[in-house]
């Protein structure tokens, strides 16, 4: 690679990092892109089991439409979450659709977790105490629920990353924990594909 291009990339990276110093600058960085796609690995730690339960797949997060979560292993699961609907389907089964009217509590949690996935710190401040930390190579925010029903389920929710959210940890009150690692993230193409748009149209 041309040394000037290398220096330019380093300078851009340093500038980007310099901008992330608090919640406001983090919010601004995460809001730069309306779409992010990538791979995920989810590790579910259950106290009664020695080894975590692992699953992998792909995700698409759209600020306008919602979350498309496509698990591929250990078995296929397709989940689409919007502001007012949730559709999930397992291999060989008809999809199930739940609306906000059907289950208001489920959508209370869904709206919170869309805000978590988006890193929407303004919305999160309504539900959590937020602690921001800046390390040498990443930022971390720890969310502590301040009201029911979240504080009856979760002890804390931790987000960490650099340009994007790269890790999400859900620590439950009862001791179980879920870790989700996000890799191979991209913002291209900048609009939903026809196949992705079709997933959100239900």
């Amino acid at each position: 690679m041309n040394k000037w291009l290398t220096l330019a990339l380093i300078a851009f990276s340093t500038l980007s990092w310099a901008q992330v110093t608090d919640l406001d600058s983090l919010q601004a960085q995460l809001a730069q892109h309306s779409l992010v796609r990538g791979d995920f690995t989810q590790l579910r730690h259950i106290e009664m089991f020695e080894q975590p339960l692992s699953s992998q797949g792909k995700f698409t997060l759209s600020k306008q439409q919602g979350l498309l979560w496509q698990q591929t292993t250990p078995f296929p699961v397709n989940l689409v979450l919007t502001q007012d609907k949730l559709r999930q389907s397992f291999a060989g089964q008809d999809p199930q659709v739940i609306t906000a009217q059907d289950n208001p509590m489920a959508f209370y949690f869904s709206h919170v977790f869309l805000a978590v996935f988006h890193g929407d710190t303004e919305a999160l401040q309504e539900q959590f105490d937020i602690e921001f930390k800046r390390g040498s190579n990443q930022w971390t925010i720890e969310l502590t629920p301040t009201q029911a029903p979240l504080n009856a389920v979760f002890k804390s929710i931790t987000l960490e990353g650099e340009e994007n959210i790269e890790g999400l940890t859900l620590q439950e009150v009862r001791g179980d924990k879920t870790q989700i690692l996000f890799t191979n993230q991209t913002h291209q193409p900048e609009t939903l594909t026809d196949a992705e748009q079709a997933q959100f149209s239900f």
Side-chain angles (χ1 to χ4, degrees):
M1 180 183 293
N2 181 285
K3 68 176 183 179
W4 298 112
L5 179 56
T6 302
L7 290 172
L9 290 172
I10 293 173
F12 177 80
S13 175
T14 303
L15 176 62
S16 177
W17 262 106
Q19 293 172 348
V20 181
T21 57
D22 54 23
L23 286 176
D24 289 340
S25 56
L26 174 58
Q27 176 73 66
Q29 175 164 295
L30 294 176
Q32 291 181 56
H33 304 285
S34 61
L35 276 172
V36 59
R37 302 173 178 84
D39 301 328
F40 72 84
T41 298
Q42 179 172 300
L43 301 172
R44 174 73 172 150
H45 300 264
I46 301 176
E47 286 203 325
M48 67 178 64
F49 298 126
E50 185 174 341
Q51 297 297 323
L53 305 176
S54 177
S55 59
Q56 291 85 35
K58 297 182 178 297
F59 74 94
T60 300
L61 180 62
S62 164
K63 282 185 169 58
Q64 285 74 39
Q65 297 287 352
L67 176 66
L68 173 58
W69 195 258
Q70 297 174 300
Q71 177 181 303
T72 54
T73 59
F75 50 84
V77 178
N78 194 77
L79 184 148
V80 185
L81 175 62
T82 69
Q83 286 294 325
D84 59 357
K85 291 182 182 179
L86 168 64
R87 186 188 70 201
Q88 58 183 358
S89 56
F90 299 87
Q93 299 183 15
D94 292 333
Q96 296 179 325
V97 177
I98 302 172
T99 68
Q101 289 183 332
D102 294 333
N103 194 330
M105 186 57 66
F107 276 87
Y108 169 81
F109 281 94
S110 297
H111 290 163
V112 169
F113 281 102
L114 280 178
V116 169
F117 274 100
H118 286 306
D120 186 350
T121 56
E122 282 190 26
L124 293 174
Q125 285 174 330
E126 299 175 5
Q127 306 287 340
F128 300 91
D129 284 333
I130 303 180
E131 181 180 2
F132 174 89
K133 297 179 182 178
R134 163 80 182 274
S136 59
N137 60 355
Q138 68 176 15
W139 51 261
T140 301
I141 57 175
E142 183 168 328
L143 312 174
T144 303
T146 57
Q147 54 190 285
L150 286 172
N151 61 2
V153 179
F154 297 105
K155 181 179 179 181
S156 65
I157 299 174
T158 304
L159 302 168
E160 57 187 13
E162 189 172 342
E163 181 183 353
N164 301 297
I165 297 171
E166 297 172 359
L168 169 61
T169 301
L170 309 171
Q171 181 65 60
E172 297 178 27
V173 171
R174 64 182 183 180
D176 295 343
K177 179 174 68 174
T178 300
Q179 293 175 292
I180 308 175
L181 306 176
F182 303 103
T183 55
N184 301 320
Q185 297 187 70
T186 180
H187 304 287
Q188 301 297 326
E190 296 181 350
T191 58
L192 292 172
T193 65
D194 290 343
E196 290 168 342
Q197 187 64 58
Q199 291 273 10
F200 284 108
S201 302
F202 65 95

